[in-house]
Amino acid sequence: MAHLKHRASSVAFDAQSANAVELKGVTFGYDRRRPVLAAIDMTIPRGKVVAIMGASGSGKTTILRLIGGQLRPVKGRVVVAGQSVADLDRAGLFGLRRRVGMLFQFGALFTDLTVFENIAFPMRELTDLPDELIRDLVLMKLNAVGLRGSAQLKPSELSGGMARRVALARAIALDPMLVMYDEPFAGLDPISLGVVGQLIRRMNDALGSTSVVVTHDIYESLKIVDYIYFVSEGRVIAKGTPDEVRASTDPFVRQFVDGEPDGPVPFHVRARPLAAEFAAHAG
Amino acid sequence: MPADALGRGVRRLGAGTINAVVRIGYAARFFVAILTHSPQSILRVGLTTREIYFAGVLSLVIILLSGLFVGMVLALQGFDVLEKYGAGDSLGVFVALSLVRELGPVVAGLLFASRAGSAITAEIGLMKTTDQLAAMEMMAVDPLSRIVAPRFWGGVISMPLLAALFSVMGVFGAYIVGVRLIGADSGTFWGNMRAGVGFWPDITNGIIKSCVFGVAVCLIAVFEGYTAKPTAEGVATATTRTVVIGSLAILALDFVLTVFMFRGMGAK
């Protein structure tokens, strides 16, 4: 990114480091009594597509927020491109974020801008590129996600799948070294789901970037990712390649893959015994 | 039991007071943050101009119509009372002073808080709810520079202009009713107005008032939007708070400013 407008800080990010992201003993909680993450270790090698899977509320999105520096760990280290995120000042953090793309759960497109302007936004804000070049780059990104014909639509005129593709094009607008996807498949029809999944894989390989996909869609993930971490109650409880996951006998992985309603992740939320509940009302 | 209830009441009062003090402190820091982020957004004239359009130009209809009707009512009510004391000739100066010193800044401020302030809060609150602000942060674009500061300055610049237009329309409305309909003398209406309204004590103080109201309302609007809970209910609550707190702030500030600006004039 030779044309980046501001030199954010003197922090040097090592885009060639073997691991794009490393979480070492990361603990995080909004209060001390209820940790969201407990001593998580995770390694995301450069150039790979890695999924973080788990039930809702298991701490998956928190991991993305820690990688992006929106949250700071209580204990442990989050290292992105060789730099400890917690050690970065605001300028350093913004320097890091210029090289990271993120796709939010429902796209988070700017509703007052057209599709074209949404994708041009990071280019206009962060680079000195001339308008003609920005136009060409935006059209290239839109073409890559198959939406060149929708450039002048507003986000409110897009379907869920199209909005997700536009958000993907915006996330890769500046050719980031790392792209984070927060539930990219949520609420999509099967066709859109397949399209978005394939785009994530293709974009990652074409840009030579690294992708972290937070999702609970096991079938789509098994098709496109290189490695999977399973997170439950703030801990990594299983991990492996798609083939290892398919062959796994781990009860949690089996429950997740087979979609069983009860198992290591219980159907009932923790509560006092039913008999005691009724007795209390009767008394 | 009454002791328990009293204890709960005191605790609630204490918690509410602490919460209010914390929010005021946070708002003060937020104001400083807006000022420090302002140069970047002011340099990009297009951003602030866009907000002047949304906060100012789109408020014109309600401000102009309200000003017209307020001026017409002032003339109707004022002429009767003034005539009773043989001071019907003072209608022009009465209307002009009422509008320029008080009604222009205050009523325009209240309308501005309801129309533009609530819109600013709702827009920023919804951007927060739909992760647009978080997306901006993750793109290394500071929402304070890109979203908050332009809206703040767009509103602050619009407010005195709207108040001035409100007063102009009010005078015009008073002229239509007082001179055209009731039959007051046109020359006396305008002549007494010119003689009785001073630029410094009246017009300038009115402008200062409207600028202060603009800063207060816009700060409340952007602050409430930025700190809104990211839910539909949170945005609705924040929007209501902007209108209520903004209106009360205008009335309270008006009293304080009036004390400092006009209190000594009658004693001279």
Side-chain angles (χ1 to χ4, degrees):
Chain A
M1 281 284 102
H3 296 283
L4 278 176
K5 234 182 226 176
H6 317 283
R7 277 193 190 283
S9 69
S10 55
V11 180
F13 297 102
D14 180 8
Q16 301 306 311
S17 61
N19 293 323
V21 180
E22 290 172 80
L23 275 72
K24 299 173 181 173
V26 170
T27 298
F28 176 82
Y30 293 100
D31 61 64
R32 286 186 180 185
R33 282 172 295 173
R34 285 187 305 158
V36 179
L37 299 175
I40 286 247
D41 287 307
M42 216 174 257
T43 301
I44 297 166
R46 192 162 60 87
K48 302 291 184 192
V49 179
V50 174
I52 301 172
M53 309 197 75
S56 302
S58 56
K60 306 186 299 289
T61 301
T62 304
I63 294 173
L64 289 192
R65 289 178 185 272
L66 285 162
I67 295 171
Q70 288 174 294
L71 301 172
R72 303 216 165 191
V74 177
K75 267 191 217 162
R77 274 159 58 86
V78 179
V79 179
V80 179
Q83 276 292 330
S84 171
V85 176
D87 296 339
L88 297 174
D89 57 11
R90 190 166 172 79
L93 204 54
F94 272 27
L96 168 69
R97 288 176 182 171
R98 287 191 179 98
R99 311 191 60 188
V100 174
M102 180 151 181
L103 185 145
F104 283 79
Q105 188 165 357
F106 294 107
L109 295 174
F110 303 129
T111 42
D112 56 333
L113 303 180
T114 62
V115 164
F116 181 96
E117 289 300 329
N118 260 283
I119 298 164
F121 185 88
M123 300 176 191
R124 293 198 202 287
E125 293 293 324
L126 302 174
T127 73
D128 288 323
L129 296 172
D131 275 352
E132 302 79 52
L133 191 51
I134 287 178
R135 181 183 167 279
D136 292 349
L137 285 171
V138 171
L139 291 179
M140 279 167 60
K141 302 290 177 189
L142 275 173
N143 198 47
V145 296
L147 290 175
R148 191 161 40 81
S150 306
Q152 296 311 319
L153 296 181
K154 283 286 187 81
S156 57
E157 298 171 290
L158 302 174
S159 68
M162 289 164 83
R164 218 62 61 86
R165 282 150 74 181
V166 174
L168 173 56
R170 188 179 67 180
I172 58 162
L174 295 176
D175 296 346
M177 64 176 181
L178 172 70
V179 189
M180 299 192 285
Y181 300 89
D182 188 4
E183 303 281 11
F185 310 122
L188 295 185
D189 63 77
I191 299 172
S192 302
L193 202 143
V195 168
V196 170
Q198 286 309 311
L199 280 173
I200 290 172
R201 181 77 245 183
R202 275 186 9 220
M203 293 298 168
N204 187 78
D205 296 344
L207 296 173
S209 57
T210 306
S211 299
V212 186
V213 186
V214 157
T215 178
H216 45 239
D217 192 304
I218 184 82
Y219 295 107
E220 198 55 42
S221 304
L222 287 174
K223 284 190 233 167
I224 63 162
V225 305
D226 298 304
Y227 204 78
I228 301 174
Y229 283 96
F230 286 93
V231 178
S232 179
E233 295 185 343
R235 295 175 189 279
V236 174
I237 54 164
K239 56 189 177 182
T241 62
D243 287 338
E244 287 168 347
V245 167
R246 285 189 195 97
S248 174
T249 54
D250 181 283
F252 178 87
V253 175
R254 289 288 12 122
Q255 186 189 3
F256 215 90
V257 173
D258 299 335
E260 298 292 341
D262 211 353
V265 179
F267 173 73
H268 285 289
V269 176
R270 198 173 297 146
R272 58 183 179 161
L274 191 60
E277 196 87 58
F278 286 138
H281 279 288
Chain B
M1 278 312 220
D4 276 359
L6 184 67
R8 271 199 303 276
V10 171
R11 271 201 299 278
R12 207 172 295 149
L13 183 68
T17 309
I18 290 169
N19 190 32
V21 172
V22 167
R23 268 188 86 75
I24 291 169
Y26 186 23
R29 289 179 58 193
F30 190 73
F31 183 47
V32 173
I34 291 173
L35 295 182
T36 53
H37 285 79
S38 292
Q40 295 140 280
S41 58
I42 289 172
L43 284 175
R44 295 174 64 181
V45 180
L47 290 178
T48 308
T49 310
R50 179 185 177 276
E51 300 312 324
I52 291 174
Y53 173 77
F54 283 111
V57 177
L58 295 185
S59 302
L60 271 177
V61 174
I62 188 172
I63 292 286
L64 295 180
L65 281 177
S66 303
L68 185 70
F69 286 121
V70 167
M72 289 162 84
V73 171
L74 267 181
L76 274 176
Q77 296 277 10
F79 189 75
D80 275 352
V81 177
L82 291 171
E83 270 289 285
K84 202 179 283 180
Y85 295 98
D89 291 349
S90 304
L91 180 65
V93 71
F94 162 74
V95 167
L97 284 180
S98 305
L99 284 166
V100 169
R101 282 184 177 189
E102 289 297 331
L103 291 174
V106 171
V107 179
L110 295 174
L111 292 170
F112 182 77
S114 315
R115 200 260 158 233
S118 58
I120 290 171
T121 302
E123 189 187 14
I124 296 177
L126 272 174
M127 290 183 84
K128 186 178 180 185
T129 308
T130 53
D131 277 336
Q132 293 179 48
L133 297 184
M136 221 171 260
E137 279 251 350
M138 281 305 297
M139 280 178 211
V141 176
D142 197 328
L144 278 176
S145 302
R146 185 62 175 68
I147 299 295
V148 174
R151 279 160 181 74
F152 174 79
W153 287 112
V156 169
I157 292 167
S158 300
M159 179 57 218
L161 299 174
L162 292 172
L165 288 170
F166 183 96
S167 297
V168 169
M169 284 305 285
V171 169
F172 179 63
Y175 170 78
I176 290 173
V177 170
V179 176
R180 294 286 170 184
L181 297 182
I182 298 178
D185 180 63
S186 173
T188 313
F189 181 87
W190 293 117
N192 281 352
M193 192 187 295
R194 283 183 64 182
V197 179
F199 181 75
W200 172 250
D202 302 315
I203 294 176
T204 311
N205 279 337
I207 293 171
I208 291 170
K209 271 188 179 183
S210 57
C211 289
V212 173
F213 297 162
V215 170
V217 169
C218 293
L219 176 62
I220 291 165
V222 292
F223 179 72
E224 289 293 340
Y226 201 77
T227 57
K229 280 188 185 158
T231 60
E233 189 192 1
V235 176
T237 306
T239 309
T240 308
R241 284 172 63 91
T242 291
V243 177
V244 173
I245 299 174
S247 303
L248 290 176
I250 286 171
L251 296 173
L253 283 169
D254 183 49
F255 171 72
V256 174
L257 290 171
T258 303
V259 167
F260 282 105
M261 288 173 172
F262 300 112
R263 186 180 172 274
M265 291 172 61
K268 281 177 188 172

